[in-house]
């Protein structure tokens, strides 16, 4: 496992793409004429990512008068009632097209002026990152670390107990 990770092999990436392709193929839907029309989204909650990943995350920078000076998204991404007033609270939520968005504001001082950076990510993107990436890799890391500890400490305990109990074994014989 260590050799595969260190070698930067694309074995895992290729396997993941192949597996995802097979999953999508099984969810493909067709119309009455036999033409593909999309995917069955009731069985897979990640179909949304193919159309809207660019709308799931965004940032903007506001000046002290709540004027947007820099943004990564369209204007309709951010509700009009969210301005600098949210800067004092740090984290906040809002709803965009029926989708819960987690957001936060941070102030930045530069050349005597205060700027406010707001960042937002959708609930489903955060769940995808946690459930699809973070938890599986953390679980694999914990299992691998546990196995290494088991073999290392098991071997050390065996050798240590062998040397420790050798005089007792000799006395008992």
């Amino acid at each position: 496992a260590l050799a595969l990770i260190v070698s930067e092999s694309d074995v895992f990436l290729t396997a993941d793409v192949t597996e995802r392709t097979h999953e999508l193929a099984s969810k493909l839907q067709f119309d009455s004429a036999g033409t593909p029309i999309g995917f069955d989204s009731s069985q897979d909650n990640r179909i949304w990512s193919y159309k809207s990943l660019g709308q799931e995350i965004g940032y903007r920078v506001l000046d002290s008068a709540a004027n947007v000076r820099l943004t990564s998204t369209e204007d309709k991404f951010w509700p009009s009632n969210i301005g600098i007033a949210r800067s004092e609270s740090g984290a906040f939520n809002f709803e965009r097209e029926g989708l819960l968005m987690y957001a936060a504001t941070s102030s930045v001082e530069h050349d005597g002026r205060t700027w406010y950076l707001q960042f937002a990510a959708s609930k489903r993107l955060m769940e995808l990152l946690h459930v699809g990436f973070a938890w599986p890799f953390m679980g694999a890391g914990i299992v691998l670390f546990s196995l290494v500890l088991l073999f290392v400490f098991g071997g050390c305990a065996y050798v240590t107990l062998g040397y420790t109990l050798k005089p007792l074994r000799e006395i008992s014989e």
Side-chain angles (χ1 to χ4, degrees):
L2 182 62
L4 281 173
I5 292 170
V6 172
S7 71
E8 297 179 16
S9 173
D10 63 353
V11 171
F12 293 127
L13 299 174
T14 304
D16 288 345
V17 169
T18 303
E19 180 182 343
R20 183 65 180 156
T21 303
H22 290 298
E23 287 176 19
L24 285 174
S26 69
K27 292 168 181 30
L28 195 58
Q29 290 185 327
F30 300 89
D31 64 7
S32 59
T35 305
I37 57 170
F39 297 99
D40 181 9
S41 61
S42 66
Q43 296 178 3
D44 185 10
N45 61 358
R46 291 183 286 166
I47 296 296
W48 58 266
S49 65
Y50 299 105
K51 293 182 180 177
S52 71
L53 196 53
Q55 298 297 317
E56 301 294 323
I57 191 168
Y59 70 85
R60 69 180 181 174
V61 178
L62 298 101
D63 61 13
S64 58
N67 297 316
V68 177
R69 296 302 181 110
L70 178 66
T71 184
S72 68
T73 60
E74 300 172 358
D75 289 337
K76 66 181 181 176
F77 184 92
W78 298 90
S80 59
N81 65 343
I82 296 178
I84 300 176
R86 299 289 182 127
S87 67
E88 303 303 323
S89 64
F92 60 94
N93 299 332
F94 64 92
E95 195 167 307
R96 189 182 71 77
E97 297 177 7
L99 185 61
L100 179 62
M101 303 293 289
Y102 297 116
T105 303
S106 179
S107 61
V108 178
E109 298 287 332
H110 181 72
D111 288 340
R113 296 179 69 188
T114 303
W115 300 91
Y116 298 94
L117 173 72
Q118 291 182 330
F119 172 78
S122 70
K123 178 181 179 181
R124 62 185 178 185
L125 177 65
M126 296 308 292
E127 287 174 349
L128 174 66
L129 293 176
H130 282 103
V131 174
F133 298 102
W135 294 122
F137 286 118
M138 283 177 47
I142 290 169
V143 167
L144 184 61
F145 184 68
S146 299
L147 289 173
V148 167
L149 287 179
L150 176 69
F151 288 114
V152 169
F153 286 124
C156 289
Y158 180 78
V159 171
T160 302
L161 284 175
Y163 282 115
T164 304
L165 297 177
K166 186 175 181 181
L168 183 61
R169 192 177 318 120
E170 291 172 356
I171 291 173
S172 67
E173 288 176 354

